[in-house]
Amino acid sequence: MAVTDVRPATPADAPFVRATLENSWATTTVAVHGELIDATDGPALIAWLADERVGLATYRPDDTGWELLSLDAILAGSGVGTALLTALTDHARDHGARRVWLVTTNENTTALRFYQRRGFDLVAVHRDAVAAARRLKPEIPDSADGIPIRHELELERML
Ligand SMILES: CC(C)(COP(=O)(O)OP(=O)(O)OC[C@H]1O[C@@H](n2cnc3c(N)ncnc32)[C@H](O)[C@@H]1OP(=O)(O)O)[C@@H](O)C(=O)NCCC(=O)NCCS
């Protein structure tokens, strides 16, 4: 099964965007680098397989580069995440961005593997940053996969 299309989210996608974020991250907000960001406020890309929505990327373009706020594959391991990341990177490059960057957390070894295999470089480790994030967003769990969630890892890909 291959993703047939990646398209910018429209108002018709709002229920999917909200449900996907809440399902993966408990709320639509992302707590990173000391900020609480509502990912529904900004742009998003949706991956489609035929007439079904199978993935979501939310992001925030800024002067220093485009920040990927969330990436979720409803159908894991089928190329959805790669298709979204490729589309986001192409889109950022077309708009003159110099880098795409993101923050993930230390327990997310799937994400760390995924991004590094796709040209992203680990540029910073913010030790114990999740304690501050948890004050902004108490829904962040203490651990996952038996690993305490403590540190923010910043990855970037220069364009
Ligand atoms: C990270 C994520 C977006 C990848 O999306 P995906 O559609 O599964 O990715 P793809 O199918 O394009 O590629 C999957 C790659 O990850 C591996 N993979 C996918 N799911 C995996 C899993 N559950 N465990 C381990 N590896 C996995 C595949 O083997 C493949 O590896 P490759 O580099 O050899 O090709 C997806 O796993 C996901 O939604 N995770 C939960 C949310 C999350 O952690 N997002 C990232 C932080 S913002």
Side-chain angles (χ1 to χ4, degrees):
M1 266 185 299
V3 174
T4 49
D5 212 359
V6 174
R7 295 177 219 150
T10 68
D13 298 310
F16 171 80
V17 171
R18 175 166 289 276
T20 302
L21 290 168
E22 287 177 349
N23 190 47
S24 285
W25 311 104
T27 69
T28 62
T29 57
V30 181
V32 273
H33 41 71
E35 279 183 81
L36 189 65
I37 303 161
D38 192 330
T40 62
D41 286 345
L45 294 174
I46 311 269
W48 291 79
L49 182 63
D51 58 356
E52 246 182 90
R53 295 172 182 88
V54 291
L56 170 71
T58 64
Y59 61 99
R60 186 166 69 162
D62 73 25
D63 292 343
T64 67
W66 284 26
E67 180 178 4
L68 177 61
L69 293 175
S70 70
L71 182 66
D72 287 290
I74 308 299
L75 201 64
S78 303
V80 172
T82 301
L84 283 165
L85 197 59
T86 302
L88 178 74
T89 306
D90 290 349
H91 202 35
R93 191 184 291 108
D94 290 348
H95 282 77
R98 291 185 39 244
R99 70 168 189 148
V100 172
W101 65 288
L102 63 103
V103 171
T104 188
T105 40
N106 63 284
E107 89 298 348
N108 199 342
T109 53
T110 299
L112 195 56
R113 177 184 187 278
F114 174 81
Y115 291 120
Q116 289 187 101
R117 281 173 60 81
R118 284 155 183 82
F120 282 73
D121 192 16
L122 180 64
V123 289
V125 176
H126 303 286
R127 286 186 54 79
D128 294 317
V130 180
R134 225 177 251 116
R135 285 195 286 277
L136 296 170
K137 179 173 173 177
E139 292 87 354
I140 297 174
D142 288 335
S143 67
D145 263 348
I147 304 172
I149 305 175
R150 293 180 55 195
H151 314 300
E152 289 186 351
L153 314 182
E154 189 178 325
L155 293 107
E156 73 174 15
R157 182 175 159 191
M158 299 308 292
L159 302 177

